[in-house]
Amino acid sequence: MAVLTVNDLTASYRKNKVLNDVSFNVQPGSLTSIVGPNGAGKSTLLKVMLELHPKLSGDVSFFGSTLNKMKTRVGYVPQRGSVDWDFPTDALDVVLMGLYGRVGWLKWPKREHREKAMDSLEKMGMADYAGRQISQLSGGQQQRVFLARALVQEADLYFMDEPLAGVDAATEQAIMTILNELRMKGKTVMVVHHDLQTVEDYFDHVLLLNRTVVAHGVTKDVFTKDNVYQTYGGTLRYMMEATT
Amino acid sequence: MSYTAWILLTASLVGLSCGLMGVFLILRRMAMMADAISHSVLIGIVSAYLITRELSGWHMMVGGIIAGLLTAVLVQWFNSRGVQQDASIGVVFTTLFAIGVIMIATQVGNAHLDVKHALMGEITFVPWDLIQLSWFGAIPEATLILIIVLIIVVIAILAFYKEWKITSFDPMLAASIGIPVALMHYLFMSLVSITTVAAFDAVGAIMVVAMLITPAAAAYLWTDRLSIMLILSGTFGVISAIGGYYIAVFLDTSISGSMAFATGIVFMISFLCSPKHGVLAQHFRTVKM
Ligand SMILES: Nc1ncnc2c1ncn2[C@@H]1O[C@H](COP(=O)(O)OP(=O)(O)OP(=O)(O)O)[C@@H](O)[C@H]1O
Ligand SMILES: [Mg+2]
């Protein structure tokens, strides 16, 4: 059974249609990259699936059910630029936020929650920075904190918006190790990804998106020159010719 | 209690409630919203008076909450229809405030409810308007209302601390883990409204903005922890309120104006001296390097 099924999903910002008849489904234990040019609607797709932005039509089902019933099984890592890093809080606290849904109404996080958050930071190699104000972390460290926060949710399906953007090689490896571990455990991960060079190495599935699905499937079948050109239109050809 | 003691207590309560609410206002980047609500609650207060024909703090409170929420809803609505956030705030509150002013001028004609009072407040009148509590004795109505509002504010912050924290920091994550972001927003707006209405008698619509924003902005400069920021902001609010009173006595001038002025002084000191963001600290850091 598919972990995620998307049917004819359409969405817009005011009158400007951003997603058009997007349909695909995702199998458990897969690691999928969502690839497309800037403004293709990748972030919007994640938001619409998670009901953070309204859809115009179509439907999305999680584990054969609705998002509402499956919320605890779905984790989300927003684009790093989407939060205020000057917020008065430290790394451990940010990770702890991943557990707020589970702490419950009118309750405060307990020691067990704190320990869980700390374990997760440690897993991302960030234990030494637990008490550091988040604006005093480097971009890569901030991304690790976001990943730690996702891990602590112990979800079965993860959506991550550009977790590899602006991180150095070491952080990139650390994050990929974690993603592969998640896959080994049978979890499903969808990652918005920008680096076309690494798609084949890192992901077993790819979803080429530009307002609608250009192609979707196993990376080695789908990630072809033709499909990529079609997704990026003229811009990529121009870029590639310029660099070679 | 003496006349001065009542005024100091009332002013401190304003400083404390506003200081606490202000922290979330500035972290949610809604300083402008405070300005808007502080003005548009006027229409709620006047409407409450016109409907009930009495000047009761409780009726005003209800009117104020409705007006405050109306402001929040309208701003959101215009914003979702393509009007920029700050423009929609500007349009909504000036319009509602203008209607309030017209209603006062044409309908009310009552000495207790005039535009100047609404804008500037008159804390010196507060101790005269006493009500009797069987178990306590006489207490000014405005002070009693402020005590109750402070209790509500503190309980709400303790109850929804993590929800307001996460919806302020990362509303996307909050929504994705099932926290009702919109509900928390409107709950917060209701609290800002009741705080504003309660502070109205004492400091008026304009100065309440200073009490809401400035102590919190100063506290932000001193700490990296939300809990400490709340404590500092509340403390700064109280210090400004009491300090402002004595400045007013010393200079023989407006109390609410002096309180707002005192918040400005606290902010300037923080801006210059705070170890983290302070201008002096930064200066010395560069000199050392
Ligand atoms: N809040 C918004 N209001 C209006 N338009 C928006 C908003 N967010 C995105 N858009 C528009 O929707 C389109 C898709 O945006 P989206 O952020 O989904 O693209 P993306 O594929 O994630 O791009 P990037 O690679 O730059 O992150 C863009 O044309 C963008 O201008
Ligand atoms: Mg994006």
Side-chain angles (χ1 to χ4, degrees), chain A residues 14 47 52 71 76 78 83-84 86-90 93-94 97 100-101 103-108 133-134 136 146 149 153, chain B residues 27 29 79-80 82 158-163 165-166 168-170 172-173 175-178 180 184 220 224-226 229:
Chain A
R14 286 176 210 120
K47 287 178 195 163
L52 303 174
K71 250 183 185 150
Y76 174 46
V83 305
D84 171 17
D86 285 323
F87 198 87
T89 185
D90 59 30
D93 230 22
V94 172
M97 286 182 197
Y100 278 8
V103 172
W105 285 100
L106 305 180
K107 294 204 191 96
W108 286 60
Q133 205 276 326
I134 51 175
Q136 291 159 24
F146 259 24
R149 187 177 71 177
Q153 291 181 260
Chain B
L27 290 179
R29 302 183 180 267
N79 194 217
S80 71
L158 289 175
F160 301 117
Y161 185 79
K162 68 179 190 306
E163 281 79 12
K165 184 171 175 178
I166 191 174
S168 305
F169 174 64
D170 193 347
M172 288 293 171
L173 175 81
S176 82
I177 62 177
M184 295 316 297
Y220 178 82
D224 285 335
R225 299 205 65 82
L226 178 56
M229 188 176 163

Short mmCIF file of all heavy atoms in Angstrom, two decimals, chain A residues 14 47 52 71 76 78 83-84 86-90 93-94 97 100-101 103-108 133-134 136 146 149 153, chain B residues 27 29 79-80 82 158-163 165-166 168-170 172-173 175-178 180 184 220 224-226 229:
data_model
loop_
_atom_site.label_atom_id
_atom_site.label_comp_id
_atom_site.label_asym_id
_atom_site.label_seq_id
_atom_site.Cartn_x
_atom_site.Cartn_y
_atom_site.Cartn_z
N ARG A 14 -3.65 33.27 -4.49
CA ARG A 14 -4.67 34.12 -5.09
C ARG A 14 -5.01 33.60 -6.49
O ARG A 14 -5.39 32.47 -6.64
CB ARG A 14 -4.22 35.57 -5.10
CG ARG A 14 -4.32 36.08 -3.68
CD ARG A 14 -3.83 37.46 -3.49
NE ARG A 14 -3.32 37.51 -2.13
CZ ARG A 14 -2.08 37.80 -1.80
NH1 ARG A 14 -1.21 38.15 -2.70
NH2 ARG A 14 -1.71 37.79 -0.54
N LYS A 47 3.54 22.16 1.41
CA LYS A 47 2.59 22.87 2.26
C LYS A 47 1.15 22.46 1.98
O LYS A 47 0.35 22.33 2.90
CB LYS A 47 2.73 24.38 2.08
CG LYS A 47 3.98 24.93 2.73
CD LYS A 47 4.12 26.42 2.50
CE LYS A 47 5.54 26.87 2.82
NZ LYS A 47 5.81 28.18 2.24
N LEU A 52 -1.06 23.16 5.07
CA LEU A 52 -0.59 24.44 5.59
C LEU A 52 -0.95 25.55 4.61
O LEU A 52 -0.83 26.72 4.91
CB LEU A 52 0.94 24.41 5.78
CG LEU A 52 1.44 23.30 6.70
CD1 LEU A 52 2.96 23.25 6.71
CD2 LEU A 52 0.92 23.49 8.11
N LYS A 71 -1.55 12.62 11.72
CA LYS A 71 -0.62 13.72 11.98
C LYS A 71 0.65 13.32 12.72
O LYS A 71 1.73 13.76 12.39
CB LYS A 71 -1.33 14.83 12.76
CG LYS A 71 -1.51 16.01 11.85
CD LYS A 71 -2.11 17.23 12.44
CE LYS A 71 -2.29 18.18 11.28
NZ LYS A 71 -3.41 19.07 11.43
N TYR A 76 7.74 17.20 9.37
CA TYR A 76 7.98 18.25 8.36
C TYR A 76 9.19 19.08 8.77
O TYR A 76 9.29 19.52 9.90
CB TYR A 76 6.73 19.11 8.25
CG TYR A 76 6.82 20.34 7.36
CD1 TYR A 76 7.38 20.27 6.09
CD2 TYR A 76 6.33 21.56 7.79
CE1 TYR A 76 7.44 21.39 5.29
CE2 TYR A 76 6.38 22.69 6.99
CZ TYR A 76 6.94 22.59 5.73
OH TYR A 76 7.00 23.71 4.93
N PRO A 78 10.69 22.52 7.58
CA PRO A 78 10.51 23.66 6.69
C PRO A 78 11.84 24.15 6.13
O PRO A 78 12.90 23.78 6.63
CB PRO A 78 9.90 24.74 7.59
CG PRO A 78 9.52 24.07 8.87
CD PRO A 78 10.37 22.86 8.97
N VAL A 83 11.98 30.51 9.38
CA VAL A 83 11.78 30.90 10.79
C VAL A 83 12.72 32.04 11.16
O VAL A 83 13.68 32.35 10.46
CB VAL A 83 12.02 29.72 11.76
CG1 VAL A 83 11.15 28.54 11.40
CG2 VAL A 83 13.48 29.33 11.83
N ASP A 84 12.41 32.67 12.30
CA ASP A 84 13.18 33.80 12.80
C ASP A 84 14.29 33.28 13.70
O ASP A 84 14.05 32.89 14.84
CB ASP A 84 12.22 34.70 13.59
CG ASP A 84 12.95 35.80 14.35
OD1 ASP A 84 14.12 36.06 14.00
OD2 ASP A 84 12.36 36.38 15.26
N ASP A 86 16.54 34.78 15.20
CA ASP A 86 16.85 35.65 16.34
C ASP A 86 15.91 35.41 17.52
O ASP A 86 16.00 36.08 18.53
CB ASP A 86 16.77 37.12 15.93
CG ASP A 86 17.98 37.53 15.11
OD1 ASP A 86 19.08 37.03 15.42
OD2 ASP A 86 17.83 38.32 14.16
N PHE A 87 15.00 34.48 17.37
CA PHE A 87 14.05 34.17 18.43
C PHE A 87 14.80 33.76 19.70
O PHE A 87 15.79 33.04 19.62
CB PHE A 87 13.15 33.03 17.97
CG PHE A 87 11.88 32.88 18.76
CD1 PHE A 87 10.75 33.60 18.41
CD2 PHE A 87 11.82 32.03 19.86
CE1 PHE A 87 9.57 33.46 19.13
CE2 PHE A 87 10.65 31.89 20.58
CZ PHE A 87 9.52 32.60 20.22
N PRO A 88 14.36 34.26 20.87
CA PRO A 88 15.08 33.91 22.10
C PRO A 88 14.87 32.45 22.51
O PRO A 88 14.02 32.15 23.34
CB PRO A 88 14.50 34.88 23.14
CG PRO A 88 13.16 35.23 22.63
CD PRO A 88 13.25 35.18 21.14
N THR A 89 15.67 31.58 21.94
CA THR A 89 15.56 30.17 22.28
C THR A 89 16.87 29.48 21.91
O THR A 89 17.64 30.01 21.12
CB THR A 89 14.36 29.53 21.53
OG1 THR A 89 14.20 28.20 21.97
CG2 THR A 89 14.59 29.52 20.04
N ASP A 90 17.13 28.32 22.51
CA ASP A 90 18.38 27.63 22.19
C ASP A 90 18.11 26.34 21.41
O ASP A 90 16.96 25.97 21.18
CB ASP A 90 19.20 27.36 23.46
CG ASP A 90 18.44 26.52 24.47
OD1 ASP A 90 17.61 25.69 24.05
OD2 ASP A 90 18.68 26.69 25.67
N ASP A 93 15.88 23.62 22.92
CA ASP A 93 14.49 24.06 22.95
C ASP A 93 13.80 23.88 21.59
O ASP A 93 12.64 23.49 21.53
CB ASP A 93 14.49 25.55 23.30
CG ASP A 93 13.54 25.85 24.43
OD1 ASP A 93 13.21 24.92 25.17
OD2 ASP A 93 13.13 27.02 24.54
N VAL A 94 14.54 24.18 20.54
CA VAL A 94 13.97 24.03 19.20
C VAL A 94 13.65 22.56 18.93
O VAL A 94 12.60 22.23 18.39
CB VAL A 94 14.93 24.60 18.13
CG1 VAL A 94 14.44 24.27 16.74
CG2 VAL A 94 15.06 26.11 18.29
N MET A 97 10.57 21.40 20.59
CA MET A 97 9.32 21.81 19.94
C MET A 97 8.74 20.68 19.09
O MET A 97 7.53 20.60 18.92
CB MET A 97 9.55 23.04 19.07
CG MET A 97 9.73 24.30 19.86
SD MET A 97 9.94 25.71 18.75
CE MET A 97 10.63 26.91 19.88
N TYR A 100 6.12 18.95 21.08
CA TYR A 100 5.01 19.68 21.69
C TYR A 100 3.65 19.02 21.42
O TYR A 100 2.78 19.02 22.27
CB TYR A 100 4.96 21.13 21.18
CG TYR A 100 5.92 22.06 21.88
CD1 TYR A 100 6.87 21.59 22.78
CD2 TYR A 100 5.87 23.44 21.65
CE1 TYR A 100 7.75 22.44 23.40
CE2 TYR A 100 6.74 24.30 22.28
CZ TYR A 100 7.68 23.81 23.15
OH TYR A 100 8.54 24.67 23.76
N GLY A 101 3.52 18.46 20.20
CA GLY A 101 2.26 17.80 19.88
C GLY A 101 1.98 16.65 20.84
O GLY A 101 0.85 16.37 21.19
N VAL A 103 3.32 16.32 23.96
CA VAL A 103 3.27 16.70 25.38
C VAL A 103 1.81 16.88 25.81
O VAL A 103 1.44 16.48 26.92
CB VAL A 103 4.06 18.02 25.61
CG1 VAL A 103 3.84 18.53 27.03
CG2 VAL A 103 5.54 17.78 25.35
N GLY A 104 1.01 17.44 24.93
CA GLY A 104 -0.42 17.57 25.24
C GLY A 104 -0.78 18.93 25.80
O GLY A 104 0.07 19.67 26.29
N TRP A 105 -2.08 19.24 25.72
CA TRP A 105 -2.57 20.53 26.17
C TRP A 105 -2.33 20.75 27.66
O TRP A 105 -2.38 19.83 28.45
CB TRP A 105 -4.06 20.65 25.91
CG TRP A 105 -4.35 20.88 24.47
CD1 TRP A 105 -4.75 19.93 23.56
CD2 TRP A 105 -4.24 22.10 23.74
NE1 TRP A 105 -4.89 20.51 22.33
CE2 TRP A 105 -4.59 21.83 22.40
CE3 TRP A 105 -3.87 23.41 24.10
CZ2 TRP A 105 -4.59 22.82 21.42
CZ3 TRP A 105 -3.87 24.39 23.12
CH2 TRP A 105 -4.23 24.08 21.81
N LEU A 106 -2.05 22.00 28.01
CA LEU A 106 -1.93 22.44 29.40
C LEU A 106 -0.81 21.74 30.15
O LEU A 106 -0.74 21.80 31.36
CB LEU A 106 -3.25 22.24 30.16
CG LEU A 106 -4.48 22.90 29.53
CD1 LEU A 106 -5.72 22.63 30.38
CD2 LEU A 106 -4.27 24.41 29.39
N LYS A 107 0.06 21.07 29.42
CA LYS A 107 1.18 20.41 30.10
C LYS A 107 2.49 21.00 29.64
O LYS A 107 2.59 21.54 28.55
CB LYS A 107 1.16 18.90 29.81
CG LYS A 107 -0.03 18.18 30.39
CD LYS A 107 0.31 16.71 30.57
CE LYS A 107 -0.92 15.89 30.88
NZ LYS A 107 -1.49 15.25 29.69
N TRP A 108 3.48 20.89 30.51
CA TRP A 108 4.82 21.36 30.16
C TRP A 108 5.68 20.16 29.82
O TRP A 108 5.46 19.07 30.36
CB TRP A 108 5.42 22.15 31.33
CG TRP A 108 4.79 23.50 31.47
CD1 TRP A 108 3.46 23.75 31.70
CD2 TRP A 108 5.44 24.77 31.38
NE1 TRP A 108 3.25 25.10 31.75
CE2 TRP A 108 4.44 25.76 31.57
CE3 TRP A 108 6.76 25.16 31.16
CZ2 TRP A 108 4.74 27.13 31.54
CZ3 TRP A 108 7.04 26.52 31.13
CH2 TRP A 108 6.04 27.49 31.31
N GLN A 133 22.27 29.90 21.78
CA GLN A 133 21.19 30.63 21.11
C GLN A 133 21.26 30.34 19.61
O GLN A 133 22.35 30.29 19.04
CB GLN A 133 21.33 32.12 21.38
CG GLN A 133 20.01 32.91 21.27
CD GLN A 133 19.69 33.31 19.86
OE1 GLN A 133 20.59 33.59 19.09
NE2 GLN A 133 18.41 33.35 19.51
N ILE A 134 20.11 30.15 18.98
CA ILE A 134 20.12 29.59 17.63
C ILE A 134 20.71 30.51 16.56
O ILE A 134 21.16 30.04 15.53
CB ILE A 134 18.71 29.14 17.21
CG1 ILE A 134 17.70 30.24 17.45
CG2 ILE A 134 18.31 27.87 17.96
CD1 ILE A 134 16.31 29.91 16.96
N GLN A 136 23.38 32.00 16.91
CA GLN A 136 24.82 31.84 16.99
C GLN A 136 25.29 30.49 16.47
O GLN A 136 26.40 30.04 16.77
CB GLN A 136 25.29 32.06 18.44
CG GLN A 136 25.13 33.51 18.86
CD GLN A 136 25.09 33.67 20.35
OE1 GLN A 136 25.58 32.84 21.09
NE2 GLN A 136 24.46 34.74 20.80
N PHE A 146 17.38 21.42 12.91
CA PHE A 146 16.08 21.14 12.27
C PHE A 146 15.89 19.63 12.06
O PHE A 146 14.82 19.08 12.27
CB PHE A 146 15.99 21.86 10.93
CG PHE A 146 15.17 23.12 10.99
CD1 PHE A 146 15.00 23.81 12.18
CD2 PHE A 146 14.56 23.62 9.85
CE1 PHE A 146 14.23 24.96 12.23
CE2 PHE A 146 13.79 24.77 9.88
CZ PHE A 146 13.62 25.44 11.08
N ARG A 149 15.17 17.93 15.24
CA ARG A 149 13.78 18.16 15.62
C ARG A 149 12.84 17.22 14.87
O ARG A 149 11.85 16.72 15.42
CB ARG A 149 13.40 19.61 15.33
CG ARG A 149 12.04 19.98 15.84
CD ARG A 149 11.73 21.43 15.60
NE ARG A 149 11.52 21.72 14.19
CZ ARG A 149 11.17 22.90 13.72
NH1 ARG A 149 11.03 23.92 14.55
NH2 ARG A 149 10.99 23.09 12.44
N GLN A 153 10.46 13.55 16.37
CA GLN A 153 9.03 13.32 16.15
C GLN A 153 8.72 11.84 15.88
O GLN A 153 7.58 11.44 15.96
CB GLN A 153 8.52 14.15 14.96
CG GLN A 153 8.48 15.63 15.22
CD GLN A 153 7.95 16.39 14.01
OE1 GLN A 153 8.71 16.97 13.24
NE2 GLN A 153 6.64 16.40 13.83
N LEU B 27 7.63 39.27 19.56
CA LEU B 27 8.16 38.05 18.95
C LEU B 27 7.31 37.59 17.78
O LEU B 27 7.80 36.96 16.85
CB LEU B 27 8.27 36.93 19.99
CG LEU B 27 9.36 37.15 21.04
CD1 LEU B 27 9.36 36.01 22.04
CD2 LEU B 27 10.72 37.34 20.41
N ARG B 29 6.06 39.64 15.82
CA ARG B 29 6.19 40.79 14.91
C ARG B 29 4.85 41.47 14.70
O ARG B 29 4.42 41.74 13.59
CB ARG B 29 6.78 40.35 13.57
CG ARG B 29 8.13 39.70 13.78
CD ARG B 29 8.80 39.30 12.52
NE ARG B 29 10.09 38.70 12.85
CZ ARG B 29 11.22 39.38 12.91
NH1 ARG B 29 11.25 40.65 12.64
NH2 ARG B 29 12.34 38.77 13.23
N ASN B 79 -5.69 41.15 4.31
CA ASN B 79 -4.38 40.61 3.98
C ASN B 79 -4.51 39.41 3.04
O ASN B 79 -3.79 39.29 2.06
CB ASN B 79 -3.67 40.23 5.29
CG ASN B 79 -2.20 39.99 5.08
OD1 ASN B 79 -1.62 39.11 5.68
ND2 ASN B 79 -1.58 40.75 4.20
N SER B 80 -5.48 38.54 3.34
CA SER B 80 -5.64 37.35 2.49
C SER B 80 -6.23 37.72 1.13
O SER B 80 -6.19 36.93 0.20
CB SER B 80 -6.55 36.33 3.19
OG SER B 80 -7.88 36.80 3.19
N GLY B 82 -5.06 40.22 -0.57
CA GLY B 82 -4.02 40.86 -1.35
C GLY B 82 -3.59 42.24 -0.89
O GLY B 82 -2.75 42.87 -1.52
N LEU B 158 0.86 30.75 31.33
CA LEU B 158 1.30 29.46 31.88
C LEU B 158 0.65 28.30 31.13
O LEU B 158 1.29 27.29 30.85
CB LEU B 158 0.96 29.37 33.37
CG LEU B 158 1.80 30.27 34.29
CD1 LEU B 158 1.30 30.20 35.73
CD2 LEU B 158 3.28 29.87 34.23
N ALA B 159 -0.62 28.46 30.78
CA ALA B 159 -1.35 27.36 30.14
C ALA B 159 -0.92 27.17 28.69
O ALA B 159 -0.82 26.05 28.21
CB ALA B 159 -2.86 27.61 30.21
N PHE B 160 -0.66 28.27 27.99
CA PHE B 160 -0.40 28.16 26.54
C PHE B 160 1.02 28.57 26.17
O PHE B 160 1.28 28.96 25.04
CB PHE B 160 -1.41 29.00 25.76
CG PHE B 160 -2.83 28.58 26.01
CD1 PHE B 160 -3.72 29.45 26.61
CD2 PHE B 160 -3.26 27.31 25.69
CE1 PHE B 160 -5.03 29.06 26.87
CE2 PHE B 160 -4.56 26.90 25.93
CZ PHE B 160 -5.44 27.78 26.52
N TYR B 161 1.92 28.49 27.15
CA TYR B 161 3.30 28.91 26.93
C TYR B 161 3.89 28.23 25.70
O TYR B 161 4.39 28.87 24.79
CB TYR B 161 4.12 28.59 28.16
CG TYR B 161 5.54 29.07 28.12
CD1 TYR B 161 5.85 30.40 28.39
CD2 TYR B 161 6.59 28.20 27.83
CE1 TYR B 161 7.16 30.85 28.38
CE2 TYR B 161 7.89 28.63 27.81
CZ TYR B 161 8.17 29.96 28.08
OH TYR B 161 9.47 30.40 28.05
N LYS B 162 3.82 26.90 25.66
CA LYS B 162 4.48 26.19 24.56
C LYS B 162 3.75 26.42 23.24
O LYS B 162 4.38 26.52 22.20
CB LYS B 162 4.66 24.71 24.87
CG LYS B 162 3.41 23.88 24.93
CD LYS B 162 3.81 22.43 25.22
CE LYS B 162 2.64 21.47 25.06
NZ LYS B 162 1.45 21.84 25.86
N GLU B 163 2.43 26.56 23.28
CA GLU B 163 1.69 26.80 22.04
C GLU B 163 2.05 28.18 21.46
O GLU B 163 2.28 28.31 20.26
CB GLU B 163 0.19 26.71 22.28
CG GLU B 163 -0.36 25.29 22.37
CD GLU B 163 -0.10 24.64 23.72
OE1 GLU B 163 0.29 25.37 24.66
OE2 GLU B 163 -0.28 23.42 23.85
N LYS B 165 4.72 29.87 22.08
CA LYS B 165 6.13 29.86 21.70
C LYS B 165 6.30 29.26 20.31
O LYS B 165 6.91 29.85 19.43
CB LYS B 165 6.90 29.06 22.73
CG LYS B 165 8.38 29.03 22.54
CD LYS B 165 8.98 28.38 23.77
CE LYS B 165 10.46 28.17 23.67
NZ LYS B 165 10.96 27.57 24.92
N ILE B 166 5.72 28.09 20.09
CA ILE B 166 5.94 27.42 18.81
C ILE B 166 5.21 28.13 17.68
O ILE B 166 5.73 28.24 16.56
CB ILE B 166 5.57 25.92 18.89
CG1 ILE B 166 6.06 25.18 17.64
CG2 ILE B 166 4.08 25.71 19.05
CD1 ILE B 166 5.86 23.69 17.70
N SER B 168 4.74 31.26 17.50
CA SER B 168 5.50 32.49 17.21
C SER B 168 6.76 32.15 16.43
O SER B 168 7.12 32.85 15.49
CB SER B 168 5.91 33.21 18.50
OG SER B 168 4.79 33.47 19.31
N PHE B 169 7.43 31.09 16.83
CA PHE B 169 8.73 30.77 16.22
C PHE B 169 8.57 30.09 14.87
O PHE B 169 9.23 30.45 13.89
CB PHE B 169 9.54 29.88 17.16
CG PHE B 169 10.83 29.38 16.56
CD1 PHE B 169 11.84 30.27 16.22
CD2 PHE B 169 11.04 28.03 16.32
CE1 PHE B 169 13.03 29.83 15.66
CE2 PHE B 169 12.22 27.57 15.75
CZ PHE B 169 13.21 28.48 15.43
N ASP B 170 7.71 29.10 14.81
CA ASP B 170 7.61 28.30 13.59
C ASP B 170 6.17 27.84 13.36
O ASP B 170 5.81 26.69 13.62
CB ASP B 170 8.55 27.09 13.72
CG ASP B 170 8.75 26.37 12.38
OD1 ASP B 170 7.98 26.65 11.45
OD2 ASP B 170 9.66 25.53 12.29
N MET B 172 4.60 27.02 10.81
CA MET B 172 4.44 25.88 9.90
C MET B 172 4.57 24.57 10.66
O MET B 172 3.77 23.66 10.50
CB MET B 172 5.52 25.93 8.81
CG MET B 172 5.30 27.00 7.79
SD MET B 172 3.82 26.67 6.83
CE MET B 172 3.69 28.19 5.93
N LEU B 173 5.62 24.46 11.48
CA LEU B 173 5.78 23.24 12.26
C LEU B 173 4.59 23.06 13.19
O LEU B 173 4.04 21.97 13.33
CB LEU B 173 7.08 23.27 13.07
CG LEU B 173 7.21 22.05 13.98
CD1 LEU B 173 7.72 20.84 13.23
CD2 LEU B 173 8.04 22.32 15.20
N ALA B 175 1.52 24.04 12.93
CA ALA B 175 0.34 23.54 12.22
C ALA B 175 0.54 22.07 11.84
O ALA B 175 -0.39 21.27 11.94
CB ALA B 175 0.08 24.38 10.99
N SER B 176 1.76 21.72 11.44
CA SER B 176 1.97 20.35 10.96
C SER B 176 1.89 19.33 12.09
O SER B 176 1.63 18.17 11.85
CB SER B 176 3.30 20.23 10.21
OG SER B 176 4.37 20.06 11.11
N ILE B 177 2.10 19.76 13.34
CA ILE B 177 1.93 18.79 14.43
C ILE B 177 0.57 18.95 15.10
O ILE B 177 0.33 18.39 16.17
CB ILE B 177 3.06 18.85 15.48
CG1 ILE B 177 3.13 20.21 16.18
CG2 ILE B 177 4.39 18.51 14.86
CD1 ILE B 177 4.18 20.26 17.27
N GLY B 178 -0.31 19.71 14.47
CA GLY B 178 -1.70 19.71 14.93
C GLY B 178 -2.04 20.76 15.96
O GLY B 178 -3.07 20.66 16.63
N PRO B 180 -3.58 24.24 16.82
CA PRO B 180 -4.50 25.13 16.09
C PRO B 180 -3.96 26.56 16.07
O PRO B 180 -4.24 27.36 16.96
CB PRO B 180 -5.80 25.03 16.88
CG PRO B 180 -5.40 24.58 18.23
CD PRO B 180 -4.13 23.82 18.12
N MET B 184 -5.04 29.87 18.41
CA MET B 184 -4.08 30.45 19.35
C MET B 184 -3.88 31.94 19.04
O MET B 184 -3.72 32.75 19.95
CB MET B 184 -2.73 29.72 19.29
CG MET B 184 -2.74 28.27 19.73
SD MET B 184 -3.67 27.93 21.23
CE MET B 184 -2.78 28.88 22.45
N TYR B 220 14.18 42.12 25.27
CA TYR B 220 14.72 41.31 24.17
C TYR B 220 16.23 41.51 24.04
O TYR B 220 16.96 40.60 23.65
CB TYR B 220 14.01 41.73 22.88
CG TYR B 220 14.47 41.03 21.63
CD1 TYR B 220 13.99 39.77 21.30
CD2 TYR B 220 15.36 41.64 20.75
CE1 TYR B 220 14.39 39.12 20.16
CE2 TYR B 220 15.77 41.00 19.60
CZ TYR B 220 15.29 39.75 19.30
OH TYR B 220 15.70 39.12 18.15
N ASP B 224 18.58 35.62 25.94
CA ASP B 224 18.32 34.67 24.86
C ASP B 224 17.27 33.66 25.25
O ASP B 224 17.09 32.65 24.58
CB ASP B 224 19.61 33.92 24.51
CG ASP B 224 20.56 34.78 23.73
OD1 ASP B 224 20.09 35.72 23.07
OD2 ASP B 224 21.78 34.54 23.80
N ARG B 225 16.62 33.88 26.38
CA ARG B 225 15.63 32.91 26.84
C ARG B 225 14.26 33.56 26.96
O ARG B 225 14.12 34.64 27.54
CB ARG B 225 16.01 32.33 28.19
CG ARG B 225 17.34 31.59 28.21
CD ARG B 225 17.36 30.58 29.34
NE ARG B 225 16.39 29.54 29.11
CZ ARG B 225 16.60 28.49 28.32
NH1 ARG B 225 17.76 28.35 27.71
NH2 ARG B 225 15.67 27.59 28.13
N LEU B 226 13.27 32.89 26.42
CA LEU B 226 11.92 33.45 26.43
C LEU B 226 11.41 33.67 27.85
O LEU B 226 10.83 34.71 28.17
CB LEU B 226 10.98 32.52 25.65
CG LEU B 226 9.51 32.92 25.60
CD1 LEU B 226 9.35 34.31 25.04
CD2 LEU B 226 8.73 31.92 24.76
N MET B 229 13.00 36.63 29.32
CA MET B 229 12.50 37.82 28.63
C MET B 229 11.15 38.24 29.23
O MET B 229 10.89 39.43 29.42
CB MET B 229 12.37 37.53 27.14
CG MET B 229 12.04 38.74 26.31
SD MET B 229 12.03 38.32 24.56
CE MET B 229 11.14 39.72 23.90
#
